[in-house]
Amino acid sequence: MIVRPRRLRRNATLRNLVAETAVRPESLVYPMFVVEGAGRKEEIASMPGQFRFSVDALLEELESCVALGIRAILLFGIPDRKDETASAAYDEDGIVQRAVRAVKAKFPELCVVTDVCLCEYTSHGHCGLLRGNDVDNDPTLELLAKTAVSHARAGADMVAPSDMMDGRVAAIRAALDAAGFQEIPIMAYSAKFASAYYGPFRDAADSAPKFGDRKSYQMDVRNGREAMRETALDLSEGADIVMVKPGLAFLDLVRRTAGTSPVPVAVYNVSGEYAMVKAAAQAGWIDGDAVIRENLIAFRRAGADVIITYHAKEALEKGLLR
Ligand code: PBG
Ligand code: ZN
């Protein structure tokens, strides 16, 4: 036998010498949930190790995150009051707006990305305005744009629309520019699927739709070509980063997107993916840390430039990126 691939696997030094993939700490984005009140740090039942923080507790938590090397966070707000028109989403004094101001004042170097959607703020839990039982696309755009501008005004470094309305990137870009925020990038949830993997997030954010589902706006999980079309549309509307979400079951699309995208590609390692790893690890059925490492490396190997993951902090803490 002349060819023996095992020669380069004989010890860790050789394996490290030829390893093709590592995840850079700078590529990670840590999603965090912020709630009203003070002194609150409540663990999310279906996401062990993840919490809802009041603003003061969030600032405290960020001390250790920043010390470990977290460079970017993605903020989700959970308001006390929800209504039909999601008015708390674009309130200048809303929970996310206040959190962004406080975080940027204390950690000016930290990249603060905000999720732009209405589902955490609507009483019905849908991502846009209702007309009858349908989510009404065009009037929703105005509210999304208002929300994005209010986030930018609070000091957000980047906005990330996750609603999947048609034309939202263009609407948000135009509104940001008109308000003087030409330099604020948009990370578009471009290929976002109507996935069962968002379950734990909806517990965390209390944002499950009160009736029906999100299949009339989020994508059908059976469609890859349509994902490429959504991504192309977002690019034509000015998206600065495009995203595939969820991650693990959609790595084919991360690869396809990375192969053609002229802008950086993000992947969202979503709440259900996190919950499955944690549950199996707690049961003693898998080695959780090793699985986290494999998953994060898989995202990078598939071509993701930016990895949004609830594992970000523990991955840095435990050195799981290579
Ligand atoms: C809001 C939003 C959701 C997620 C990110 N932004 C939930 C949804 O679309 O129902 C999911 C994130 C996760 O599961 O970790 N639209
Ligand atoms: Zn939503």
Side-chain angles (χ1 to χ4, degrees), residues 20-30 68-72 241 264-265 293 296-301 303-309 311-313 315-316 319-322:
E20 298 172 34
T21 311
V23 178
R24 294 180 314 112
E26 293 87 346
S27 306
L28 298 178
V29 179
Y30 191 30
L68 282 166
I70 293 281
R71 311 288 216 285
I241 299 177
V265 176
R293 171 179 173 271
L296 297 178
I297 288 172
F299 294 130
R300 177 64 201 130
R301 203 182 58 244
D305 303 291
V306 174
I307 302 172
I308 304 166
T309 180
H311 296 297
K313 187 183 181 189
L316 291 169
L320 305 178
L321 299 184
R322 39 191 300 135

Side-chain angles (χ1 to χ4, degrees), residues 11-60:
N11 59 53
T13 308
L14 282 172
R15 291 192 293 272
N16 289 337
L17 179 74
V18 299
E20 298 172 34
T21 311
V23 178
R24 294 180 314 112
E26 293 87 346
S27 306
L28 298 178
V29 179
Y30 191 30
M32 302 179 89
F33 300 94
V34 59
V35 289
E36 303 279 0
R40 291 172 72 183
K41 179 183 176 183
E42 303 159 356
E43 191 161 27
I44 299 156
S46 51
M47 299 176 74
Q50 303 304 311
F51 302 84
R52 300 163 162 159
F53 297 99
S54 54
V55 175
D56 59 325
L58 178 71
L59 294 177
E60 195 183 317

Side-chain angles (χ1 to χ4, degrees), residues 133-151:
N133 276 354
D134 207 31
V135 173
D136 201 356
N137 196 91
D138 298 8
T140 298
L141 299 181
E142 226 173 284
L143 300 188
L144 292 167
K146 261 169 84 170
T147 303
V149 170
S150 78
H151 291 178

